[in-house]
Amino acid sequence: MHDFDLNEDESDLVARARDFAKNYVAPRAAGWERDRKMPREALREAARVGLTKLDASKKDGDRGTGFVAKLLVLEVISEECMAFAFSMTNTQGMAGRLEKAGTPSQKERFLEDLVSTQRLSATALTEPGAGSDFSAIQTRAEKVDGGWLLNGEKAWITNGAEADVFLVYAQSDPEKRWRGIASFLVDGRQDGFERVEPYGMLAGHAMGVGGFKLKDMFVRDEDVVAGPGDAFKAAMGSINGARTYVAGMLNAMLHASLSHAVRYAAKRETFGKPSIEHQGLKWSLADVATKLEASRLLTYRAARLVEEEGDAMLAAAYAKKFAGDVAIQGIADCIQAMGANGMKDDVPLGRHLACAKLACYTDGSTEIMNDRIGGSLVELFG
Ligand SMILES: Cc1cc2nc3c(=O)[nH]c(=O)nc-3n(C[C@H](O)[C@H](O)[C@H](O)COP(=O)(O)OP(=O)(O)OC[C@H]3O[C@@H](n4cnc5c(N)ncnc54)[C@H](O)[C@@H]3O)c2cc1C
């Protein structure tokens, strides 16, 4: 468990999230997966109970909510459905951004609809031909009178099934690689936007992952969010927070799976006693518990750094890489401890395992975390 000193607003927010997770998300999550559906109505309910304004920074001294509270909210929801938590945080990221730095016209056009989830938003970097190598994106931004014309295709976008307000990254000058990339606020209700059929996946359909094409989409100058040279840095600047909360989500799925497995193994009798009393099984779950504890410590250290606006690059990479490895092996071990019953779709472990696998790609894959850590080895240990 955490030892963060939350203020009153934050404690209240986390308590509301816990209540929402237990009473609203838990009874529905398996159905969302069976229906392979993004639950739009659940986002509306999350907005109703005040969970879609997580990016408000701490204000007025001790009031307001910070990054740690956001992480804890996402953790408690991920114990029931990581895919839904991921969709929720992706759609409210844009509202937070506009609130802090949007122009008056952008706020008027989008903010209220985004906070109420009348409209959903998404961030679009990845393309059919470029994921980890972000500087290789091919979507083109061409300067025209009064704005820019965007052409290209985006892929693997969380909320892509339903969102229509996008932060789109596009290349203005391919020779400049990352220095040519700019970002744009794109209204998917305008001409030039074409949605691609949402993806069928192993699990995680509540994320509504899909793609879209842009054909001569006009974006006015005012809706350039970060110009060439700045957009890449801005994307990298915000990614440590995302890596940290994804680590928290992985820990939460492992925690939920371990609770299921322990409860099950305490009841299930094999060879004349509860199976948890067999040393082999008990030690296997003790290993899971130990690694979960270590993973939480790494994640919470990164979260503190993100909240205090320190340099969280390495801490976030350690946390996400470790949480991913530990969750995938640990959830599989929990399923093993439950025998065949662990594989049924009315227990959430299979769903958690598949979502843990997905989480090992979002906001940078495990290998890219290794790349970040590897890049610091000489400085740290040489
Ligand atoms: C559920 C889900 C939701 C997502 N949501 C979004 C979203 O909202 N917005 C968005 O823009 N993107 C999103 N993504 C895309 C995600 O960011 C990419 O999947 C990720 O960046 C990896 O890119 P890729 O899948 O194209 O793999 P690739 O880049 O093609 O890599 C393939 C494999 O090679 C490895 N690899 C690549 N480069 C190296 C290297 N230098 N060294 C060693 N190994 C390497 C990778 O780790 C991976 O294992 C989402 C992905 C998933 C699965």
Side-chain angles (χ1 to χ4, degrees):
M1 288 303 130
H2 70 81
D3 59 356
F4 293 116
D5 191 13
L6 301 181
N7 68 32
E8 214 177 296
D9 288 352
E10 291 170 328
S11 301
D12 177 58
L13 182 72
V14 177
R16 264 182 288 139
R18 192 176 298 284
D19 187 59
F20 174 73
K22 292 280 167 237
N23 296 314
Y24 191 95
V25 178
R28 292 171 175 82
W32 297 335
E33 201 60 87
R34 272 184 217 119
D35 296 346
R36 299 168 81 83
K37 155 171 178 271
M38 186 181 169
R40 188 65 194 250
E41 69 293 347
L43 288 168
R44 275 193 283 274
E45 184 61 16
R48 198 186 64 74
V49 298
L51 298 177
T52 50
K53 278 188 89 175
L54 297 178
D55 273 347
S57 56
K58 278 193 178 170
K59 291 175 208 137
D60 306 331
D62 208 23
R63 295 193 62 75
T65 58
F67 178 79
V68 164
K70 169 177 174 167
L71 170 86
L72 297 176
V73 164
L74 296 175
E75 282 186 0
V76 295
I77 298 176
S78 297
E79 284 181 23
E80 310 301 339
C81 183
M82 177 269 176
F84 175 75
F86 199 65
S87 160
M88 191 182 93
T89 188
N90 267 272
T91 192
Q92 56 87 51
M94 176 74 89
R97 187 174 279 121
L98 289 183
E99 198 159 51
K100 278 180 213 144
T103 65
S105 140
Q106 287 168 347
K107 287 182 183 172
E108 194 187 314
R109 278 179 285 151
F110 302 112
L111 194 53
E112 203 183 310
D113 282 350
L114 287 174
V115 172
S116 66
T117 71
Q118 289 290 46
R119 300 185 72 176
L120 302 183
S121 66
T123 302
L125 296 83
T126 306
E127 301 185 350
S132 308
D133 186 5
F134 173 37
S135 62
I137 59 170
Q138 301 283 318
T139 295
R140 283 304 307 269
E142 185 196 343
K143 186 74 188 93
V144 293
D145 199 19
W148 296 73
L149 274 188
L150 303 189
N151 279 286
E153 181 170 352
K154 293 293 175 182
W156 285 100
I157 307 306
T158 301
N159 292 336
E162 296 259 353
D164 59 12
V165 183
F166 297 94
L167 180 64
V168 171
Y169 288 80
Q171 180 56 268
S172 68
D173 183 348
E175 284 184 9
K176 291 192 177 150
R177 297 275 293 175
W178 69 266
R179 287 184 185 80
I181 294 175
S183 62
F184 303 85
L185 182 56
V186 167
D187 186 343
R189 293 185 180 174
Q190 305 294 315
D191 289 345
F193 177 85
E194 188 191 317
R195 202 181 301 278
V196 170
E197 186 72 10
Y199 306 157
M201 301 190 296
L202 192 56
H205 293 92
M207 285 186 222
V209 177
F212 58 85
K213 294 177 182 170
L214 299 173
K215 289 184 182 154
D216 289 334
M217 159 69 78
F218 178 75
V219 180
R220 40 179 147 160
D221 282 326
E222 187 203 344
D223 290 339
V224 176
V225 176
D230 294 331
F232 188 91
K233 287 190 208 154
M236 293 302 118
S238 62
I239 208 153
N240 296 326
R243 287 174 180 168
T244 303
Y245 68 64
V246 172
M249 292 167 150
L250 284 155
N251 297 337
M253 289 190 284
L254 183 55
H255 173 94
S257 302
L258 185 56
S259 295
H260 268 278
V262 168
R263 283 197 304 270
Y264 181 88
K267 277 200 187 134
R268 174 77 170 189
E269 296 234 336
T270 54
F271 301 96
K273 57 183 178 182
S275 57
I276 197 145
E277 289 179 17
H278 295 294
Q279 190 181 57
L281 193 138
K282 184 165 44 183
W283 283 20
S284 163
L285 295 183
D287 281 348
V288 174
T290 310
K291 287 176 192 157
L292 172 60
E293 194 62 16
S295 187
R296 277 192 174 130
L297 291 173
L298 282 178
T299 302
Y300 291 162
R301 183 178 67 133
R304 276 203 177 84
L305 279 169
V306 173
E307 175 149 314
E308 290 160 8
E309 295 180 15
D311 180 359
M313 190 272 278
L314 202 53
Y318 280 137
K320 186 172 188 278
K321 172 190 162 160
F322 193 72
D325 288 348
V326 160
I328 286 173
Q329 185 57 54
I331 297 170
D333 291 343
C334 291
I335 293 175
Q336 191 69 18
M338 291 180 67
N341 283 328
M343 296 295 291
K344 282 175 141 180
D345 74 353
D346 58 355
V347 293
L349 277 71
R351 187 159 50 81
H352 288 328
L353 182 57
C355 284
K357 194 73 194 139
L358 290 172
C360 288
Y361 297 114
T362 61
D363 299 296
S365 67
T366 305
E367 291 75 15
I368 295 304
M369 299 308 104
N370 250 350
D371 216 44
R372 294 294 164 274
I373 298 163
S376 304
L377 286 177
V378 172
E379 190 192 326
L380 291 174
F381 303 101

